[in-house]
Amino acid sequence: MALSRSMRACLHTGRLAAIALLASGGIILHLLACILYNNWWPMLTVLMYLVLTMPVILFLGADSPSMLSNESDGWVSFTKFLTGASVVGSIAIPSILKHAGIIGWGALTMELSSFGVFGLAILWYIHMNREDEYSSVF
């Protein structure tokens, strides 16, 4: 049974709303890690979240291959490297702060949970954009 065009658009909108809720949940977890433990050092991770988006915005244009492809374009490889460094930094900063005794276990757990929620939202968004049925909805 094929879904009508309006039903597919409604499902697509619902998925986008779920991704927005996931991203909002990640932001809330990140803020709670700072507020509940009265320590704002975990906000350093926000720098990595900002750096994480910059390579994709700056180096991957509409005519460039996807980051998920195996092509060896120089800019795509550089973008993959910077994205990987940002992901490692997003995990390493809270871990180093915990090791140095600046934050506690609760803040570390909330920071890593926030990273997991953001990662899930990004992966779901990438998966949703790769599906062919939604590119022909509008």
Side-chain angles (χ1 to χ4, degrees), residues 2 9 17 24 30 32 36 42 50 54 63 72 74 77 88 91 97 100 102 108 111-112 120 128 133:
S24 299
H30 192 81
L32 283 176
L36 290 179
L50 294 176
M54 287 303 135
D63 57 344
S72 62
S77 297
V88 169
I91 296 171
L97 290 173
I102 296 174
L108 175 68
E111 281 290 318
L112 295 180
L120 180 66
M128 195 175 80
E133 64 180 298

Side-chain angles (χ1 to χ4, degrees), residues 2 4 29 44 52 57 67 80 84 101 110 131 133:
S4 67
L29 278 172
L44 286 174
L52 182 65
I57 292 171
M67 278 187 61
K80 288 177 183 179
M110 289 184 119
E131 293 178 357
E133 64 180 298

